Amino acid sequence: MRSVQEDRRSTSAWADVPAASHACRTALLPDLRVVAEIRQVARAFLRRCRVSKAVAEFVVLAVSELVTNAVIHGEGEVKVQITVAVDVVRVSVTDHNPVSAVLQEAGLDGESGRGIRLVDAISDAWESNGEETWCEFREARAAA
């Protein structure tokens, strides 16, 4: 995993979250071993942004599923961006595969095919336009 960048778009101090949006970006090699690392990075970033624990766990699960999907089905480097705004957390995962992610029906014994369906179930919105698949979670901040 390459370095993680945090982008602060605010005139307030970082400790004054949720005044503005903040982003965490990284680029990953297409290797399933990085999935656990990006989950840890996502969890720490969401905690720092004071995202509620319940929503943060859904976001981390979505990050895990989208990154796994990109590593398995994508092409080349995988880029992950998590953006936390006042009332929305957005996860964006990109790779170089022009084919959109789609909902699939996994068989009872199937070992794959559930990731996007899971993202659909836990997020407020999601979409895939080929190279990018994103999802959003609304009302994500913990009470002050």
Side-chain angles (χ1 to χ4, degrees):
M1 180 163 56
R2 292 200 295 176
S3 67
V4 174
Q5 291 179 317
E6 290 183 13
D7 183 14
R8 301 176 193 143
R9 296 188 180 137
S10 171
T11 57
S12 65
W14 178 240
D16 291 335
V17 172
S21 67
H22 301 276
C24 176
R25 290 186 284 248
T26 191
L28 313 166
L29 295 174
D31 184 335
L32 287 174
R33 292 176 289 192
V34 301
V35 176
E37 290 179 52
I38 194 61
R39 278 195 305 260
Q40 291 175 334
V41 168
R43 192 171 280 117
F45 175 71
L46 296 166
R47 185 173 38 250
R48 187 170 182 182
C49 291
R50 299 185 193 149
V51 173
S52 72
K53 286 183 181 182
V55 172
E57 287 306 312
F58 283 133
V59 173
V60 169
L61 180 56
V63 166
S64 182
E65 293 298 330
L66 293 179
V67 170
T68 298
N69 194 56
V71 168
I72 292 172
H73 302 290
E75 297 174 9
E77 183 178 66
V78 176
K79 295 180 182 175
V80 180
Q81 179 167 317
I82 304 167
T83 305
V84 178
V86 173
D87 60 351
V88 175
V89 176
R90 182 182 174 102
V91 175
S92 170
V93 176
T94 59
D95 60 59
H96 297 288
N97 185 347
V99 179
S100 296
V102 294
L103 289 173
Q104 295 182 2
E105 284 296 327
L108 293 175
D109 295 332
E111 293 183 18
S112 65
R114 293 175 180 83
I116 297 299
R117 186 158 300 283
L118 182 59
V119 170
D120 180 59
I122 64 175
S123 66
D124 292 303
W126 78 275
E127 189 172 308
S128 181
N129 63 8
E131 292 185 3
E132 178 189 25
T133 302
W134 61 264
C135 62
E136 290 183 343
F137 300 83
R138 298 193 180 94
E139 299 189 29
R141 298 293 183 148

